[in-house]
Amino acid sequence: MNSKLADRAASLETVSILPEPSPEAPSKSPEPNNKARSNRVAEDRVKKAVSADALNRIRQDLIEAQRSKAELQARLKTTTEEAAMLKSRFEIDNRRLNELATERTSLAMRIRDRDEELRGKAKLLENVQDEVVSLSLQLNMAEERSAKHQRENEDLIARWMKRMEREADAMNDASRFS
């Protein structure tokens, strides 16, 4: 479109550069005849008609170019606004993505710390359970010893009581005969 406009403008310039003989201006060369003069007048009319036709075409091309330019400028404005909107949305999304990445890292660290804490508590619980089992065994053994000592004590008391009873009987028997 622009090259057509440039071609037509150049052709118009060449037409306007060519000197147009004016009917009032005296001719430097003597006029040989009327036929030559009528040829020049006809040529001038053709040039003017071609010039007017070319000028009209150039004006039409200029109008079309200006309309096209206005359309393209409107499209450019719309596209620029859309690009700016998308850029701002991209920046907002990028900020949000960075915030989420930071939050994810923080949560991952908290989970690691919590897992480590839970492992420590599980180990502590295992140690406490082992201690409870150990103390239960010691308690059972102590109860068994206590029961054994209780039986031995009862046995000793029972033997001592028999012995004392025999001694008492022996003393009673000795005192009856005396």
Side-chain angles (χ1 to χ4, degrees):
M1 173 74 94
N2 288 338
S3 64
K4 286 181 183 179
L5 183 61
D7 291 342
R8 288 188 181 151
S11 68
L12 181 62
E13 285 179 15
T14 55
V15 169
S16 65
I17 291 173
L18 294 174
E20 293 184 17
S22 65
E24 301 162 1
S27 182
K28 293 181 184 175
S29 64
E31 290 186 27
N33 56 23
N34 277 339
K35 190 175 183 182
R37 183 180 169 132
S38 67
N39 282 341
R40 263 188 285 150
V41 170
E43 266 183 26
D44 288 343
R45 286 184 188 158
V46 168
K47 284 182 185 178
K48 286 181 182 178
V50 168
S51 296
D53 187 38
L55 185 61
N56 285 335
R57 278 187 281 148
I58 290 173
R59 284 184 182 148
Q60 289 297 322
D61 288 344
L62 178 62
I63 291 169
E64 179 64 26
Q66 288 174 339
R67 186 189 59 76
S68 176
K69 177 184 174 188
E71 288 175 4
L72 291 174
Q73 284 177 335
R75 284 179 52 198
L76 176 64
K77 181 181 177 188
T78 304
T79 305
T80 303
E81 289 171 353
E82 187 177 340
M85 183 183 67
L86 290 173
K87 184 178 179 183
S88 68
R89 186 181 305 158
F90 173 76
E91 289 172 357
I92 290 169
D93 289 347
N94 201 17
R95 258 187 262 123
R96 180 70 178 142
L97 182 63
N98 288 338
E99 290 170 1
L100 290 174
T102 302
E103 184 177 353
R104 180 185 174 276
T105 303
S106 172
L107 290 173
M109 287 176 52
R110 285 178 57 191
I111 287 172
R112 255 193 322 269
D113 291 346
R114 190 66 48 97
D115 286 346
E116 189 175 314
E117 181 181 338
L118 288 175
R119 278 194 296 273
K121 286 182 179 181
K123 183 68 175 168
L124 181 63
L125 180 63
E126 186 180 320
N127 290 343
V128 167
Q129 288 174 342
D130 289 347
E131 189 69 26
V132 167
V133 169
S134 174
L135 290 173
S136 293
L137 287 174
Q138 288 177 2
L139 179 63
N140 286 340
M141 289 172 54
E143 285 176 351
E144 286 176 8
R145 276 194 308 252
S146 174
K148 180 182 172 187
H149 290 311
Q150 184 71 28
R151 283 191 308 269
E152 286 177 3
N153 192 24
E154 287 172 4
D155 192 35
L156 282 174
I157 290 174
R159 282 191 344 218
W160 184 75
M161 289 296 281
K162 279 184 185 181
R163 182 176 170 198
M164 287 297 137
E165 186 181 327
R166 272 185 278 156
E167 284 180 11
D169 286 340
M171 281 174 72
N172 283 340
D173 284 344
S175 67
R176 265 192 242 161
F177 292 113
S178 8

